[in-house]
Amino acid sequence: MQLHLSPEDQAFRDEMRTFFTTQISQSIRDDVAAHREVTKESYVEAQRILNAAGLAVPHWPAEWGGRDWTPLQRHIWREEMQLAAVPEPLAFNASMIGPVIAAFGNQEQKERFLPATANLDIWWCQGFSEPDAGSDLASLRTAAVRDGEDWVVNGQKTWTTLGQYADWIFCLVRTDPTAEKKQRGISLLVFPMDTPGVTLRPIELLDGGFEVNEVFFEDVRVPAENLIGEENRGWDYAKFLLGNERVGIARVGATKRMIADAKEHAAQISSGGRPLIEDPSMRTRITELENELLALELTALRVVSNSSDGKPNPASSVLKLRGSELQQAATELLVDIAGPLSLASFADDDATDVPEWARSTTPEYLNYRKVSIYGGSNEVQRTIIAGTILGL
Amino acid sequence: MDFTFDTEQHALREAVAGLLQRAYDPEKRRAVTKDDPGFDEKVWSQLAEMGVLGLPFAEEDGGMGAGHAEVALVATEVGRVLAPEPFVEAVVLAGGLVADVGTAEQRAELLGPLSEGSSLLVFAHAEPGNRWTPTATGVTATRSGDGWTLSGVKEPVPSGARADVLVVSAAVDGGTGLFVVRGDAAGLTRDGYRSHDGTRAARVTLDGTPAELLGEDATDRTAAVELALARATVAYAHEAVGAMETALTTTSEYLKTRKQFGVPLSRFQALTFRAADMYVSLELVRSIALWATMVVDAPDSTPEQVLAAADRARLQTSKAGRHIGKEAIQLHGGIGVTAEYSVGHYTSRLTAIDHLLGDGAWAADRLARTVDAHPYVEALPA
């Protein structure tokens, strides 16, 4: 039992903090901090700077750019990145398909994809959910049929985040419709988004943004060499991928930043003749949120130190569940602080006196309803906890 | 930062767990808590033989020179079986005060016998009508020749009737002083009673009762009381975590075995999801309790940091204890409310812990006073 960071970890934290706050351009970090839409160019610029410094994919195997860090150092890395409002390495690349290819791909695929994936030379998107396969992902119907040296893909994916920027898609497809268990007949294919037969339709969200898409496949021909791992083992890879996705999903640093912002704004808003931050119920509300966040952060630290074998710990479901709830609570707090100012949500800069932060609160609050749904909905996480941990 | 216990600490945990699990199952606990003093004197002696009652005290004072990490391990095992022995009350709270404030002579005289199990020491602090304050007003201290006398009422005092020696807080000129009162002192009346959680408490009436000043000077000891209460709060957080863990495992087992509508209750998602939420609450409070213990043990922690960590632990313990305690009963159904079945007693003890030294709302209110003094809470101090 030891509270303090070791001198090495302290130095590591200082190094991360300095790097993130000096090497990533202020304008990009301002965009993230202000909850503005981050452009593709900004994502790419930030990730390439990180990658050049060995900070984009530290959790990958060392030969593909990974670092021999302790779980605590990885936590510090992520935490400092979020506190500094640095756009995180694209999750589809760094947390999802990269680790899967590194673990299950063949040597040729590793050489072809991993360096480009780490450097965001390839922008990946995720082809998992379908209109009739949400939480019940294994019931997916997009089919791939073998025809000579190709797979021919037909079907539809949805909720494909930032698909409009994507160069490639990693896609779960049904390759054995006769398999006894529906999980058995699924494979993982990767192919370029400009392959003939792929079309993309953006979906507008409540916040007015277009971050997710539907993707349609009509007789899309994918070379057989683009199968990752073994045929009909795709479900195993999907579980591996989603487990990895969950570890970083608590987003404690990002929520801390929102709470810090909330306090600053609450000091500027007048309520009942005094600054809102002086209102006792507001102070208690923020206090309770901070305490929940501290408990979550400490739990994240405990979980990472218990999963050094690289396997996702089932307790990571706690991080997903609680992390999403606290992100949502922080966005809700910000809307409540903005109060009536939050109605100016879609006003242009020159048509309003309402500050930008207040205008962004409700779109962000509405947008963040997604976090308890994606990455395995919170109900899926409760099912995992009840089944895997409590044996129910 | 490191959340893991070392080999020696694991050995301590196993020894204490072995002793307490042999000593208590729900039936034995009911039998023991039926009669005064509400705990098993033999178990108390066995804990003493193991060195548990002297864990946090310096070796020259008759203790083991261990830290609060060891205290936390013991408290967790106490909570796991609801052992009714007053470990936190006597060792962490009353003993902690003597260790902090007492003269070398007083430390040897009081902590040695406490560690050996031959003299039960408790802190008589609460006063009727005063809610969770580190100061005393209802009991006053008056100089009398070389010594002091105390008058007033302390209540409820945990194990107050059984205690061999009491540390009593009392109003002195300029604040709150601490005094030692022997169980056989003149003008001391103790009316013991049973509390809902099976433990004992008492009204302690002092009427010109001779007392010995704890420490050299009759100065204000409010800060020392606050710190001792904070450390006891952290130890209680671990006791509560142990209790919550058993409440949850008992509930999970029940869901698997109890059948209704022809199927085990675990087939009903409405119930398993609630059990999953109990697990989330448990893991969150466990994390914060361990962290608070690390803050207490860190040599460079300031008193302010210890108090804040204790309040954070208290806030989370209160929330989680209420959540898990209430759900454990509800998921059992009617049997959870019976005295014969174990799970309700866990809820009862959790409720007692929540109200002994200050509940969650009280802690939140204290923490809220400085909420705008930091941008965010640092879990990892430099």
Side-chain angles (χ1 to χ4, degrees), chain A residues 71-253:
Chain A
L72 176 58
Q73 287 173 322
R74 277 189 217 165
H75 174 89
I76 292 170
W77 163 74
R78 197 180 291 279
E79 170 87 3
E80 290 298 328
M81 198 156 50
Q82 291 174 356
L83 280 175
V86 169
E88 286 174 74
L90 192 68
F92 313 108
N93 288 37
S95 305
M96 298 188 189
I97 193 63
V100 168
I101 292 175
F104 306 107
N106 59 38
Q107 186 61 25
E108 202 187 325
Q109 288 168 336
K110 290 178 190 177
E111 287 171 15
R112 179 178 179 195
F113 292 117
L114 289 179
T117 298
N119 205 46
L120 204 42
D121 297 336
I122 298 175
W123 183 300
W124 289 93
C125 67
Q126 184 181 24
F128 275 31
S129 295
E130 298 181 4
D132 289 326
S135 287
D136 181 15
L137 183 58
S139 68
L140 61 90
R141 289 204 301 248
T142 295
V145 177
R146 190 63 183 257
D147 178 30
E149 287 306 297
D150 292 338
W151 291 98
V152 180
V153 180
N154 278 285
Q156 182 195 342
K157 294 289 174 183
T158 193
W159 308 131
T160 304
T161 302
L162 301 184
Q164 65 269 38
Y165 298 155
D167 305 302
W168 281 68
I169 186 167
F170 53 93
C171 203
L172 289 177
V173 292
R174 189 160 299 286
T175 41
D176 180 5
T178 66
E180 255 178 53
K181 281 190 74 183
K182 57 188 179 181
Q183 287 86 351
R184 283 272 161 233
I186 294 170
S187 300
L188 182 62
L189 286 180
V190 300
F191 48 93
M193 287 293 280
D194 60 4
T195 310
V198 178
T199 46
L200 187 96
R201 190 185 77 84
I203 302 172
E204 184 179 5
L205 294 184
L206 286 172
D207 63 1
F210 295 86
E211 66 179 22
V212 290
N213 302 270
E214 293 178 289
V215 187
F216 301 89
F217 309 116
E218 200 185 338
D219 293 330
V220 177
R221 295 195 79 86
V222 178
E225 69 204 39
N226 288 14
L227 177 80
I228 304 294
E230 290 174 41
E231 191 176 327
N232 296 326
R233 291 283 307 279
W235 186 251
D236 295 339
Y237 313 146
K239 279 199 303 187
F240 172 87
L241 178 154
L242 292 171
N244 284 329
E245 184 187 8
R246 241 162 255 152
V247 173
I249 216 161
R251 296 188 55 82
V252 172

Side-chain angles (χ1 to χ4, degrees), chain A residues 347-358:
Chain A
D348 289 329
D349 289 343
D350 54 7
T352 181
D353 287 344
V354 173
E356 183 187 12
W357 73 265

Side-chain angles (χ1 to χ4, degrees), chain B residues 101-103 106 109-110 141-143 146-150 166-168 170-172 176-182 210-221:
Chain B
V101 177
T103 62
Q106 286 170 328
E109 190 194 335
L110 295 170
T142 316
R143 273 188 204 274
D146 287 348
W148 295 76
T149 60
L150 305 182
L166 301 149
V167 175
V168 182
V172 294
T176 295
L178 292 170
F179 299 87
V180 180
V181 173
R182 310 282 152 182
E212 176 189 335
L213 182 70
L214 186 68
E216 297 282 1
D217 310 307
T219 55
D220 181 33
R221 300 292 186 186

Side-chain angles (χ1 to χ4, degrees), chain B residues 280-301:
Chain B
V280 173
S281 281
L282 172 63
E283 289 310 307
L284 293 172
V285 69
R286 190 198 306 279
S287 304
I288 220 161
L290 288 167
W291 170 81
T293 289
M294 290 191 260
V295 174
V296 170
D297 267 343
D300 56 347
S301 290

Side-chain angles (χ1 to χ4, degrees), chain B residues 104-279:
Chain B
E105 222 179 344
Q106 286 170 328
R107 295 199 305 268
E109 190 194 335
L110 295 170
L111 298 181
L114 170 62
S115 305
E116 289 159 15
S118 57
S119 173
L120 180 62
L121 186 73
V122 302
F123 183 36
H125 179 60
E127 295 169 350
N130 270 342
R131 191 168 178 262
W132 302 319
T133 157
T135 57
T137 50
V139 171
T140 51
T142 316
R143 273 188 204 274
S144 158
D146 287 348
W148 295 76
T149 60
L150 305 182
S151 291
V153 175
K154 290 289 184 183
E155 185 183 5
V157 179
S159 292
R162 165 62 184 80
D164 298 295
V165 182
L166 301 149
V167 175
V168 182
S169 58
V172 294
D173 267 353
T176 295
L178 292 170
F179 299 87
V180 180
V181 173
R182 310 282 152 182
D184 56 4
L188 177 69
T189 314
R190 297 184 283 174
D191 301 296
Y193 45 77
R194 196 169 182 274
S195 190
H196 56 81
D197 63 345
T199 64
R200 295 297 185 278
R203 175 177 63 188
V204 174
T205 309
L206 303 126
D207 182 13
T209 306
E212 176 189 335
L213 182 70
L214 186 68
E216 297 282 1
D217 310 307
T219 55
D220 181 33
R221 300 292 186 186
T222 305
V225 172
E226 283 224 75
L227 204 54
L229 291 172
R231 287 189 302 236
T233 295
V234 175
Y236 274 137
H238 289 280
E239 186 180 331
V241 165
M244 288 183 230
E245 199 170 321
T246 306
L248 176 56
T249 50
T250 306
T251 303
S252 296
E253 279 311 306
Y254 190 79
L255 292 179
K256 277 183 259 186
T257 48
R258 166 80 170 166
K259 284 188 173 174
Q260 287 287 276
F261 306 103
V263 292
L265 293 181
S266 58
R267 293 275 297 278
F268 296 98
Q269 196 181 53
L271 305 182
T272 59
F273 271 29
R274 288 162 69 173
D277 284 336
M278 291 163 76
Y279 177 79

Side-chain angles (χ1 to χ4, degrees), chain B residues 311-355:
Chain B
D311 282 338
R312 296 201 172 282
R314 184 180 344 237
L315 175 52
Q316 204 71 24
T317 305
S318 178
K319 277 191 181 178
R322 289 173 194 224
H323 173 213
I324 292 172
K326 289 189 283 194
E327 288 288 73
I329 290 179
Q330 180 67 24
L331 295 189
H332 274 83
I335 196 173
V337 196
T338 65
E340 198 174 327
Y341 192 75
S342 68
V343 84
H345 294 283
Y346 282 86
T347 310
S348 184
R349 178 61 181 161
L350 287 168
T351 309
I353 288 175
D354 198 11
H355 295 97

